[in-house]
Amino acid sequence: MKIINSSLLLLILFAAACNQLPGDTTQKPVEKPNIVLLFTDDQTYASIEALGHDEIHTPNLDRLVNKGTTFTHAYNMGGWNGAVCVASRSMMVSGAYIWNAQEKARAWSAKDSAALQQTWPQLLSEQGYQTYMTGKWHVAAPAEEIFDTAKHVRPGMPKDYAGELGAAMKKWKQESGDMKDWNDYMPLGYGRPLSPQDTDWLPTDTTHGGFWDGGKHWSEVVRDDALEFIDDASQRENPFFMYLAFNAPHDPRQAPQKYQDMYPLEDIALPKSFLPEYPWKEAIGNPPGLRDEALAPFPRTEYAVKKHRQEYYAIITHLDDQIGKILDALEASGELQNTYLFMTSDHGLSVGHHGLLGKQSLYDHSIRVPLMVMGPDVPEGKKIHQDVYLQDIMPSSLQLAGVEKPSYVEFKSFVDMLNGDAEAGHYDAIYGAYIDFQRMIRKDGFKLLVYPKINKVLLYDLENDPHEMNDLAADPRHAEKVRSLFDELIELQKEMNDSLNLQETYKAVTDET
C-alpha cells in the first residue's frame, strides 16, 4: 500500500479548499454542533398526534417525531415540593439526581461560585459555546449569571389569583367546612367551571393573568426571542446552545379563540381513568387546597374535566405553532443541518386522570413526558422504548458537543442508544419521589407506588394496564412481585441519597402479602 506523504496531503487539501464553490456548505469542516432545547411546562406524553393521540393537533411536534427519534418512555424523578418543575429543572441544569440536585440548588441560592460553574450552560460555555436562554427558569442559579444572554426570564408561576387561595380556604373552614360548599369559596379561576353558564374566567381574557405580556402570549415572546437569536447566531462562527423554555401548557391555559374553536367540547373524551375524586388524595399530598388541584371543582365533574382538557389541547396547539416557526427559522438560516434539537417537558399533568388535575403524583400521566431528538445522523421516525429520564438530555448534549461528562453529572447519555445500541445508558429501574408522601419504582413492566403516610402500596401491570387502573397489590399471586420491587426501591433510595424511612410501610405491606 502506498502511503501519501504529509506534504502531498497538505497540497491536496489546499486545492480542495480553493475549489469549493461559494455558498457550498457541504464541504466545510464542522467542529461542534449547535444544541437547542425546546422545554415545555406541564406537557404529558399523551399530547402529540404523531404518537397516536389523535384527539390533539400538533403538526410541528409531529415533524420532530417524523424527522427524528422519539423516546417513548421518558420520566421525571419527581419533586421536593409542590412546584415539581423546580426539581425537574434543577436536575436538568445540574445533571444530578433529585436529592443531590436539591443540594445543588441550595448551593446556588448561597451564590456558591463553584456550584454555578458546574451548570449545563457553563460546561458548554467553557467549550466555546454561545449560550442563550429565554422563558421560564424557576431554578435557584441566576440565569443571567450562567448564560451569556438571558431574556424575558420568568421565575415561576404567572400572576393569577393563587394568592387568594389561602384566604379562601381559611374562610371556608370558618364559615362552612362542608366539602359541598367548597367550590363557592374559590377565587376567580379556581373550582371551575361548574356549568356552561360559569363564564367568569375565560381562556381568552388577558386581564386574568396568564402568559401575556403587553398583549403578547408568552409562547410568542419565547418564539420572537428565539428568532432574534437565530438571526444573530447565524452570523457568528462559534456554536450555540439555546435553552427555550415555554410556560405553556401550564395554567392559566390561555390561547387565542381560534385554537379554542379547534376543540369542540363534544369531541373531547374523558380519560379512561377518570374519577370524581382520588381515594387517597390527602395521604399522597394532593388535598383540595393544593394549588393545582384547586383549579377544578370537587368532586370532579365530567363537564369540568372536559373543559380543562379543551383548554389544555388549545394551548398546546398554539405552542406547536410557535415551535414550527422556530424550526423554520433554523432551517432558513442554514443552522438546522448542524443542530441537535431536543424537545421535552419538565413533567406531565393529570388533567382529570384518577380524579387528579396536577402533576404531584407518580402516575405516568404526571411523570412521563414527550422526548424527541432531531439532528445530524439521528434516525428518522425511530422510536426507542427503553426507559430513560428526561434529564438524560443534559449529558447527551455534552457527549455530542465533545465535552467529557464530569463525575458530578449522574444522569446518563443516550447518544449510543440513538446510534443503535439498545442497552447503552439503560437504567435497571426508574425511581420516583414526591416530598415524603410518595415513592415509586418502575421495572420490568410493573410499577409499585408507595404511600408511607398510610402504609399503603399499589401495584400495576403496565403492559396489560397502561392507564394504571387495576391495583394488584392485594392479590396473593403478586405478593412476591410487591416484595421484590419494594426491596429494589429501598436499594434505589441509597443510590439517590433518599433519607425517607420506608421500613414501617415495608413491614406492614410484606406482612400482609
Side-chain angles (χ1 to χ4, degrees):
M1 180 181 294
K2 295 181 179 179
I3 300 175
I4 300 175
N5 65 45
S6 58
S7 297
L8 180 58
L9 180 60
L10 288 173
L11 183 62
I12 293 170
L13 292 174
F14 178 75
C18 290
N19 290 329
Q20 186 173 325
L21 295 174
D24 180 7
T25 61
T26 59
Q27 301 298 318
K28 291 181 181 178
V30 175
E31 293 186 358
K32 290 184 182 295
N34 305 312
I35 305 294
V36 175
L37 174 67
L38 297 170
F39 207 11
T40 65
D41 192 343
D42 280 15
Q43 188 173 358
T44 189
Y45 70 96
S47 61
I48 297 177
E49 187 173 9
L51 296 178
H53 308 289
D54 57 7
E55 198 171 43
I56 191 168
H57 309 296
T58 52
N60 294 294
L61 292 173
D62 293 353
R63 284 167 66 181
L64 296 177
V65 172
N66 296 326
K67 293 292 184 180
T69 292
T70 300
F71 287 87
T72 61
H73 291 76
Y75 295 91
N76 179 44
M77 278 188 177
W80 56 67
N81 59 26
V84 178
C85 54
V86 174
S88 176
R89 292 161 192 269
S90 298
M91 286 185 273
M92 181 71 89
V93 172
S94 69
Y97 293 155
I98 180 169
W99 305 113
N100 295 334
Q102 187 178 32
E103 292 302 314
K104 293 276 189 181
R106 289 172 178 145
W108 296 336
S109 296
K111 308 298 183 185
D112 184 323
S113 60
L116 292 172
Q117 289 171 3
Q118 293 178 350
T119 54
W120 188 12
Q122 286 288 291
L123 290 170
L124 290 172
S125 181
E126 289 171 2
Q127 300 298 316
Y129 276 78
Q130 181 184 4
T131 62
Y132 179 89
M133 77 81 55
T134 178
K136 180 167 179 174
W137 186 230
H138 223 175
V139 174
E144 296 84 356
E145 293 185 23
I146 64 173
F147 286 90
D148 294 329
T149 305
K151 292 191 66 175
H152 294 113
V153 180
R154 292 182 66 87
M157 281 294 304
K159 292 181 179 179
D160 68 351
Y161 297 86
E164 300 176 17
L165 187 59
M169 290 290 295
K170 183 178 180 180
K171 185 177 181 182
W172 167 71
K173 289 178 181 178
Q174 291 173 341
E175 297 182 359
S176 171
D178 192 328
M179 202 64 210
K180 69 179 177 61
D181 300 327
W182 185 85
N183 299 312
D184 298 334
Y185 286 82
M186 287 297 97
L188 187 64
Y190 291 80
R192 60 158 291 272
L194 297 174
S195 71
Q197 290 72 45
D198 183 2
T199 57
D200 289 340
W201 191 95
L202 296 172
T204 55
D205 188 341
T206 63
T207 65
H208 292 334
F211 309 112
W212 303 82
D213 179 40
K216 182 184 287 189
H217 195 286
W218 265 105
S219 292
E220 296 167 12
V221 173
V222 172
R223 174 206 67 198
D224 288 347
D225 285 348
L227 298 185
E228 181 182 29
F229 177 81
I230 291 167
D231 184 59
D232 176 70
S234 64
Q235 311 303 315
R236 300 172 181 261
E237 292 186 0
N238 55 319
F240 57 78
F241 168 47
M242 297 177 71
Y243 182 106
L244 307 178
F246 294 90
N247 289 81
H250 198 293
D251 69 273
R253 287 179 274 274
Q254 294 175 301
Q257 189 62 51
K258 74 172 186 177
Y259 296 93
Q260 307 290 334
D261 294 341
M262 293 174 67
Y263 297 100
L265 202 63
E266 58 269 23
D267 294 341
I268 304 295
L270 284 173
K272 286 185 171 62
S273 59
F274 169 81
L275 290 173
E277 292 190 58
Y278 190 64
W280 308 286
K281 56 184 180 293
E282 302 279 354
I284 68 169
N286 283 240
L290 181 67
R291 187 202 164 277
D292 286 22
E293 296 303 324
L295 289 167
F298 278 93
R300 311 313 194 188
T301 64
E302 294 188 5
Y303 176 75
V305 167
K306 286 185 176 184
K307 283 296 291 184
H308 278 272
R309 295 181 74 81
Q310 177 192 54
E311 294 166 13
Y312 189 60
Y313 293 159
I315 196 172
I316 290 175
T317 300
H318 176 259
L319 162 71
D320 183 87
D321 275 0
Q322 315 321 311
I323 288 175
K325 290 178 172 63
I326 294 170
L327 295 178
D328 291 344
L330 283 168
E331 188 167 16
S333 71
E335 297 289 350
L336 190 60
Q337 63 186 354
N338 187 38
T339 297
Y340 286 99
L341 196 149
F342 299 89
M343 181 275 156
T344 194
S345 191
D346 54 359
H347 44 69
L349 200 68
S350 302
V351 207
H353 287 275
H354 293 100
L356 302 169
L357 211 68
K359 60 265 188 177
Q360 295 85 359
S361 82
L362 300 177
Y363 284 104
D364 267 20
H365 47 66
S366 295
I367 59 172
R368 185 175 162 198
V369 294
L371 200 170
M372 290 89 79
V373 185
M374 187 173 78
D377 301 321
V378 173
E380 294 189 6
K382 182 178 180 179
K383 295 180 178 62
I384 296 175
H385 302 296
Q386 281 86 353
D387 293 345
V388 298
Y389 292 106
L390 71 96
Q391 291 85 4
D392 290 341
I393 288 173
M394 190 268 213
S396 299
S397 75
L398 296 182
Q399 182 175 343
L400 292 168
V403 181
E404 184 176 353
K405 189 178 92 164
S407 59
Y408 51 80
V409 172
E410 297 173 300
F411 289 100
K412 300 177 182 180
S413 170
F414 49 55
V415 169
D416 290 344
M417 297 173 75
L418 292 173
N419 294 335
D421 186 345
E423 296 302 318
H426 180 63
Y427 293 93
D428 186 54
I430 294 294
Y431 163 90
Y434 178 63
I435 319 181
D436 59 351
F437 287 99
Q438 306 170 50
R439 290 295 183 269
M440 181 276 289
I441 181 171
R442 173 190 172 98
K443 182 176 182 178
D444 297 335
F446 282 85
K447 176 187 286 188
L448 185 74
L449 292 175
V450 180
Y451 298 160
K453 299 290 186 183
I454 54 174
N455 289 336
K456 183 173 183 61
V457 299
L458 304 172
L459 178 69
Y460 296 107
D461 177 351
L462 300 172
E463 298 294 328
N464 297 306
D465 179 25
H467 298 285
E468 300 170 283
M469 298 170 62
N470 303 308
D471 173 27
L472 304 174
D475 186 336
R477 293 173 296 178
H478 292 91
E480 183 52 38
K481 177 62 72 174
V482 170
R483 182 185 297 273
S484 65
L485 285 176
F486 212 142
D487 285 340
E488 294 197 47
L489 174 59
I490 290 172
E491 287 303 309
L492 266 179
Q493 284 188 286
K494 298 173 185 175
E495 180 182 341
M496 300 293 168
N497 287 329
D498 179 1
S499 61
L500 182 63
N501 190 333
L502 298 179
Q503 289 303 318
E504 183 179 334
T505 304
Y506 180 84
K507 185 176 185 302
V509 169
T510 54
D511 283 351
E512 288 178 8
T513 56

